[in-house]
Amino acid sequence: MISRILVLILFLAVVSCSPRGHIIRINKSEIAPYTHLDLNQRILVNIPQNISQKDYYILMESALLSVQQRGFLEVWDTDEYELELRAAEIADFSLGRNIQRLYDNLGVNYFLDIVIISRKPFRYSSLSSQLEYREQMNPNFPNFGGLVSETDHRVITQYTLYQTDGAIKMAEFEVESSHLKNNTLDARVIRREIQEFFNQIYLAVP
């Protein structure tokens, strides 16, 4: 019993010390005047397609969970409701008329568009890679951990919220964050970004 407790404590310590991502800076936060959110409505979340399948599901699950926690009546996503969107002839959200169709044809009141603007993968420098290889091949090779240079896995993401009736842009939020070193998205960072996005909206409301 004691050994199991020790193993659990060790596991929790390793997890808590594992490198995680974090928000680096907010590049843009624009909230339209007199913005008011009616949570007793339906919102559609658009997940970007220009990412890997693994990242897609990480982003989708994290975004939907975060938006649901805001208290909206219904939260839709473009993956699950693809047939409904096709039936309503909605394929390109860069067109204002398609955002309007969300309201006219599907009764969706809000549209949250998520776009990954840029991404810089994590990588070691060539010197760092050589040192790491030598350390692995020769256990007696000196550890130069303090000298190893590496880059962050950084992602700039833009969140835009529309009122669908009139295709009115209510808020736009651009944030730069550090994500996981295996070059996948950090679900906790995505949830924090969306939480901060809605916080910015509520702070702007008089």
Side-chain angles (χ1 to χ4, degrees), residues 10 34 37 51 63 85 92 105 115 146 151 158 167 194 197 199 205:
L10 179 61
Y34 310 109
L37 282 180
I51 53 178
L85 293 170
D92 183 3
N105 300 348
V115 176
T151 62
Q158 178 178 280
I194 294 176
F197 176 45
N199 287 344
V205 177

Side-chain angles (χ1 to χ4, degrees), residues 140-178:
N140 297 321
F141 188 80
N143 187 344
F144 292 98
L147 300 177
V148 172
S149 62
E150 54 189 41
T151 62
D152 286 333
H153 173 207
R154 293 194 179 191
V155 181
I156 298 178
T157 309
Q158 178 178 280
Y159 299 88
T160 309
L161 181 67
Y162 293 89
Q163 177 184 308
T164 54
D165 188 12
I168 300 169
K169 184 189 293 186
M170 301 177 68
E172 189 170 87
F173 184 73
E174 183 183 300
V175 58
E176 181 176 357
S177 296
S178 172

Side-chain angles (χ1 to χ4, degrees), residues 113-136:
D113 191 26
I114 303 175
V115 176
I116 291 181
I117 295 178
S118 69
R119 189 168 188 172
K120 184 178 73 172
F122 172 88
R123 61 180 176 81
Y124 290 109
S125 68
S126 58
L127 175 60
S128 302
S129 300
Q130 293 175 19
L131 292 174
E132 185 179 39
Y133 175 77
R134 292 181 182 179
E135 287 177 13
Q136 292 174 354

